[in-house]
Amino acid sequence: MKQRSKLLISIVAAVTLLSACNEQTTAPAKQPIENKEQKKQAPAPLELTPVESTNQPFTISLLPKFSLEAEEPGKDVVMHESEQEQWMRIELLPKEAKEQMETYAKERAMAVTEEATPFEGTLPFEDAIVYEASVDNSVVYIIGVTENAPMFLTVFTKKGDNWLDTFMTMAKTIQRTETETSEQPNESFFTYKSSNQPFQANILNGYQAEAVEPGKDMIFLDEEKASMTVELIDDGADWSLIEEQAEQYVKASSKDGTVEKVTWTKGTLLNGADVYKSAITDGEVYVFVVKSGTPMRLTIFVQQADGLDPFLQMAETIKRID
């Protein structure tokens, strides 16, 4: 009897244990607590809209509420629709300009303030020369990009609300486009119409043109290092006097007082012109006296002989528009 009781107790205990184990295996598994840090959504991609300049051969992708406008020939600006005090100027430059970029960038920065300093931050360009110039509550960044497609970027922003990174987000999307010009397939240009003299000319991008005094316009890459002054000559001019003045001017500019006179035999408009030239302290000076076609006097300063060709190319496009 005792043995049967013990057996019954053992059976009941086994059944109870088996039931408990079965409840543990069939109970619903606890769901892991979601990691809120992992569930954060990735930042939305920037909304950029491609825009093509009608003034220079490039495209740029703009952030919302920004627009691209032609400021003047050879210069475009990126502006915000409601923040007019913050903007970026874009100037494409010829490839040869990158060799003098350090000088150009420093000169432009010093023109803003003599206290301008090299920029110590980072920009989205592999090769760039950057200066930072602070004036009152504003900051101006002069950025000379020296990569395969050199250009100047000038950013105007505020100390307390600096938009440099915003403008650089758009600037890094700048891409040059091909030009479709039969006369100048490898260069792009804009047409300059003088308000000072009755002529127009095609000016290579990167160069500038402006009236410097009555009867004189200057085309320049850097007016202190490479420039061409254009003076139209009216009918009935005393050519012997003009030639004498040209020779005396070159002689006065020469480093040793010598003047070489040649007859130009290249091009179309300049072909047959009398040319007075001489070496100067930091380069060469040329005065072209053009008597036929569009009568004029051209005074050209260059630091190196190969700097003359771009000016001659532009001079060939000068057209009187009386």
Side-chain angles (χ1 to χ4, degrees), residues 224-257:
E224 295 183 358
K225 298 185 174 73
S227 66
M228 176 171 70
T229 302
V230 180
E231 300 173 76
L232 298 189
I233 306 298
D234 294 327
D235 293 338
D238 185 344
W239 287 108
S240 60
L241 177 60
I242 292 173
E243 290 175 347
E244 181 182 352
Q245 291 173 340
E247 183 174 5
Q248 291 300 318
Y249 181 85
V250 172
K251 184 176 181 179
S253 302
S254 172
K255 64 181 180 181
D256 57 10

Side-chain angles (χ1 to χ4, degrees), residues 131-148:
Y131 281 84
E132 180 178 4
S134 296
V135 180
D136 299 327
N137 295 322
S138 301
V139 186
V140 180
Y141 296 93
I142 295 87
I143 304 165
V145 179
T146 58
E147 297 175 0
N148 291 331

Side-chain angles (χ1 to χ4, degrees), residues 131-175:
Y131 281 84
E132 180 178 4
S134 296
V135 180
D136 299 327
N137 295 322
S138 301
V139 186
V140 180
Y141 296 93
I142 295 87
I143 304 165
V145 179
T146 58
E147 297 175 0
N148 291 331
M151 60 182 170
F152 259 125
L153 302 174
T154 309
V155 175
F156 298 81
T157 186
K158 299 178 181 179
K159 290 182 180 178
D161 185 21
N162 194 305
W163 285 14
L164 177 63
D165 290 343
T166 299
F167 285 114
M168 290 302 98
T169 296
M170 295 180 282
K172 68 182 180 182
T173 70
I174 293 174
Q175 293 186 344

Side-chain angles (χ1 to χ4, degrees), residues 192-199 210-211 217 321:
Y192 169 72
K193 291 185 179 181
S194 172
S195 59
N196 182 38
Q197 301 182 85
F199 81 91
E210 60 183 33
D217 289 72
I321 52 173

Side-chain angles (χ1 to χ4, degrees), residues 34-54:
E34 291 186 358
N35 187 337
K36 293 184 179 180
E37 293 294 328
Q38 295 177 351
K39 286 293 183 178
K40 284 184 177 178
Q41 293 184 348
L46 293 174
E47 183 183 342
L48 292 166
T49 303
V51 176
E52 183 172 1
S53 170
T54 59

Side-chain angles (χ1 to χ4, degrees), residues 1 23 25 40 44 61 68 74-75 77 80 117 130 139 142 146-147 178 209 278 286:
M1 185 66 177
E23 288 179 1
T25 57
K40 284 184 177 178
S61 293
L68 179 70
K75 296 180 182 179
V77 292
H80 191 270
T117 58
V130 189
V139 186
I142 295 87
T146 58
E147 297 175 0
E178 294 294 329
S278 184
Y286 298 77

